[in-house]
Amino acid sequence: MELLLITGPAGVGKSTLSWELSAQLAAANVAHAVVESDELDRVFPKPTLDELDRIQPGTVDVSSLNLAAIWSVYRRLGHSRLIMSGVMMHHRHDRRWILAAIPDAQITVVRLRASETALFERLAQREIGAGAKAQAERSLHQARRMAAEDTDGLIVVPTDGKRPSELVENNLAGIGWLPAHVQPG
């Protein structure tokens, strides 16, 4: 199965790019599924390691269990492609829990980047209230940390000044999911 993992700091455009790619694939009649990784562990209280171990021995993250459950349904429906998005601060670690959930996944990682100015502008449009400043600080920390990481094996895509459709056409068409007659160029 093919998994396109779209990563980057909060506010960089991961969800928007996932939705655009999904729309283009749907328009080309290409079967696929989309999962936002943030939704895989949105539970309170967080399960303890003992609780997770009782469900599946050795599991340390509820995200892996939920991804496995969701993907098992999509697989049974005949799907072989998954777009997944999330911050994924440590892509090598995140690969491990994803592969624990979907052992046959062939993962392509796309790391989105934006200038600090662009991140702050995007976050200002979506974040309101008391948490806005803290979210901006987290996003800045995430962006700086990711910029310092080795990007070997990643597709790095700058997003400043680009529409989602441009990002798909210029950077993601090469993944081979769009039929040749729909490929830009």
Side-chain angles (χ1 to χ4, degrees):
M1 76 76 67
E2 297 174 79
L3 193 154
L4 181 64
L5 182 60
I6 301 175
T7 72
V12 77
K14 300 175 299 296
S15 297
T16 303
L17 183 60
S18 295
W19 299 332
E20 177 65 26
L21 180 57
S22 178
Q24 288 193 28
L25 290 169
N29 204 30
V30 175
H32 66 283
V34 180
V35 171
E36 297 270 344
S37 68
D38 288 349
E39 302 309 319
L40 296 173
D41 67 353
R42 196 176 305 274
V43 61
F44 181 84
K46 296 279 187 199
T48 66
L49 290 178
D50 288 340
E51 290 170 324
L52 294 173
D53 198 56
R54 280 195 300 272
I55 295 169
Q56 183 171 321
T59 301
V60 296
D61 189 332
V62 70
S63 295
S64 184
L65 293 175
N66 287 335
L67 180 59
I70 290 168
W71 184 250
S72 72
V73 172
Y74 290 149
R75 181 187 302 273
R76 288 170 51 203
L77 291 170
H79 291 282
S80 62
R81 293 185 177 109
L82 175 64
I83 302 166
M84 192 163 118
S85 66
V87 171
M88 308 289 174
M89 284 286 292
H90 311 284
H91 70 91
R92 286 180 180 83
H93 165 77
D94 291 309
R95 280 179 178 270
R96 286 192 291 272
W97 71 260
I98 291 167
L99 288 170
I102 310 173
D104 64 334
Q106 299 298 312
I107 303 172
T108 300
V109 181
V110 173
R111 171 72 51 83
L112 301 183
R113 286 200 174 146
S115 68
E116 291 180 9
T117 301
L119 285 175
F120 285 135
E121 288 172 358
R122 292 173 188 170
L123 289 169
Q125 291 176 8
R126 76 169 206 207
E127 300 292 332
I128 58 171
K133 184 177 180 198
Q135 180 58 64
E137 290 171 1
R138 274 192 304 278
S139 184
L140 182 59
H141 169 75
Q142 293 165 353
R144 288 176 178 167
R145 166 110 193 210
M146 289 177 186
E149 271 191 349
D150 175 20
T151 58
D152 285 346
L154 307 181
I155 299 170
V156 179
V157 177
T159 64
D160 285 17
K162 302 281 196 290
R163 293 185 323 275
S165 59
E166 289 178 273
L167 296 174
V168 171
E169 291 166 7
N170 296 334
N171 300 97
L172 300 183
I175 64 171
W177 290 15
L178 289 169
H181 67 279
V182 189
Q183 295 283 349

